Amino acid sequence: MSASVPPLMLNLARRWSDSEPVAVTQRALSAGFDGIGLVDSPRLFRDGWVETGRVLASTDAALAGPVVASLGLRHPTTVAGALRTLEQHHPGRAFTVVGRGESSVANEGITAPTLAEYRMTMRSLRELLRDERGHDRLPGRLLGAASGPRTVTATAAELGGVLLDVGVDQATVARAVRLARETEPTTRVWLFVRALVVDDPRSAAAAAAPLLGSCAMRMANAPDWFGLADDQVAAVRRLAEAHDYRRHGAQQHTATDTHGGDHPRDDSRDDSGVEDDDDVSRLVRRRFLLIDTAPAIADTVAGLASAGIDGIIVAGALPGVLDRLEALGSAMRAGLARRTPPDPTSTERGDLA
């Protein structure tokens, strides 16, 4: 992992029989990724903690761990215990992102914690991960996922590490980075990016369809933050409510639908049957998904990383990601290498182990 280029991770979101995490990690490392995240949604995916142990023991991944570990489902003591165990066996390589839970709580009929409850849980987790001298056991390697301004602020204050899930609009990303560091100047800020290399950008609608509802939910929860006009809010909320979390992360389309060339099949619907050719779907897709040619992806990533990003995690749920993993890794790496370096006189944020 280069000291001059922010780390790049792949988040493996595949159902039980879709792929083998160790094999995917080895491919990802060859494609230029530094590590892998494992989804924490027990009803839908393999256990992220068990698979993390396998990945760290069987590969040279610099970083691996649950992304996102559900604090809406798991007690902070169990999360801290698992992380301390991973860190003991694989020093400097355990990594995790926590969150309130999405598919994990929805599929168990559990109400996600309020922001106040979540802040207390994050605070407890961070205390549990301090050693006897009060030092962090996972310096720079514990983040909290955040999409809206209140959660960004709370996460920066409680954990000192934020994974921004705010899409790929450069102005929105820059605003979120500033907010996190205004809250706590030493905050580590990573970015979650849904990206896919295609030969023909017209195939973006088919590739994006399974994720649109989940992305729309983030916009609906903070419409002002995402700059939604009054007449857009209701439509975005309808798209969000149509998302079926029983099929969250399911691959709806084949690789040929996203490789370009032939016109994609006439199947531009999300997993709830909502049409993906209206203005709202295009809006959500444009703001949250980077589905384009390799040079265009590199250009966009260079701009995003110049906002002061400390690392990027690429979503693995888009159909076609694994089919074109090498092209995606190369494009993301090229963009990260071209970013404008941060001001060396700015506040030092510490090392990422």
Side-chain angles (χ1 to χ4, degrees):
M1 188 164 57
S2 170
S4 61
V5 178
L8 176 67
M9 296 179 67
L10 175 70
N11 202 41
L12 181 60
R14 288 296 194 272
R15 296 302 185 96
W16 287 76
S17 59
D18 282 350
S19 57
E20 206 290 310
V22 171
V24 173
T25 300
Q26 291 168 333
R27 272 196 62 200
L29 298 180
S30 297
F33 292 83
D34 298 299
I36 195 164
L38 289 307
V39 176
D40 182 28
S41 191
R43 191 173 290 262
L44 301 180
F45 304 100
R46 299 185 191 203
D47 186 88
W49 300 98
V50 173
E51 295 300 332
T52 294
R54 293 184 62 238
V55 165
L56 290 173
S58 304
T59 76
D60 294 327
L63 300 168
V67 179
V68 171
S70 175
L71 292 182
L73 194 63
R74 301 184 186 274
H75 193 280
T77 303
T78 67
V79 174
L83 283 170
R84 289 182 62 180
T85 302
L86 288 171
E87 181 69 4
Q88 184 176 41
H89 288 300
H90 309 283
R93 300 168 66 200
F95 177 96
T96 198
V97 181
V98 299
R100 284 194 269 185
E102 189 174 352
S103 62
S104 62
V105 295
N107 282 312
E108 304 308 325
I110 298 172
T111 302
T114 66
L115 184 56
E117 293 169 338
Y118 180 52
R119 287 194 72 145
M120 293 178 62
T121 304
M122 286 192 290
R123 188 176 306 163
S124 175
L125 176 61
R126 194 173 191 186
E127 288 301 318
L128 288 164
L129 286 171
R130 294 189 189 279
D131 63 19
E132 294 77 9
R133 294 176 292 177
H135 298 154
D136 288 340
R137 296 179 188 272
L138 276 73
R141 290 175 281 125
L142 173 65
L143 312 175
S147 297
R150 294 194 305 150
T151 310
V152 170
T153 299
T155 305
E158 301 299 343
L159 293 183
V162 181
L163 174 65
L164 297 176
D165 187 1
V166 297
V168 292
D169 174 71
Q170 190 163 340
T172 304
V173 170
R175 188 169 67 249
V177 172
R178 285 196 302 271
L179 178 60
R181 299 231 169 92
E182 286 169 359
T183 303
E184 172 49 64
T186 62
T187 296
R188 280 277 171 179
V189 182
W190 285 52
L191 183 64
F192 189 72
V193 176
R194 298 165 181 84
L196 174 66
V197 172
V198 294
D199 298 324
D200 183 352
R202 289 177 301 174
S203 61
L211 302 185
L212 280 181
S214 179
C215 297
M217 180 268 290
R218 286 149 176 78
M219 298 180 74
N221 285 343
D224 294 337
W225 174 249
F226 287 103
L228 292 180
D230 291 342
D231 60 348
Q232 295 174 319
V233 174
V236 170
R237 185 166 289 117
R238 284 196 299 272
L239 181 59
E241 291 172 349
H243 187 67
D244 184 357
Y245 278 103
R246 294 169 300 177
R247 304 176 67 186
H248 190 67
Q251 303 300 292
Q252 288 299 108
H253 307 284
T254 64
T256 54
D257 293 323
T258 58
H259 284 189
D262 295 336
H263 189 72
R265 69 182 179 183
D266 185 18
D267 191 17
S268 56
R269 296 172 180 266
D270 78 354
D271 55 4
S272 302
V274 176
E275 292 288 350
D276 185 34
D277 57 1
D278 60 18
D279 291 341
V280 171
S281 295
R282 284 194 292 272
L283 169 66
V284 175
R285 188 168 66 245
R286 186 175 65 250
R287 294 290 296 273
F288 265 85
L289 293 108
L290 181 54
I291 304 176
D292 215 325
T293 62
I297 286 177
D299 288 343
T300 300
V301 169
L304 294 172
S306 296
I309 295 300
D310 292 306
I312 287 181
I313 299 178
V314 177
L318 277 172
V321 165
L322 295 187
D323 299 281
R324 305 202 74 176
L325 190 60
E326 290 72 19
L328 180 58
S330 178
M332 298 294 293
R333 273 284 172 214
L336 285 169
R338 285 165 39 200
R339 82 198 192 288
T340 303
D343 183 352
T345 64
S346 64
T347 302
E348 188 66 39
R349 294 191 296 276
D351 295 330
L352 176 65

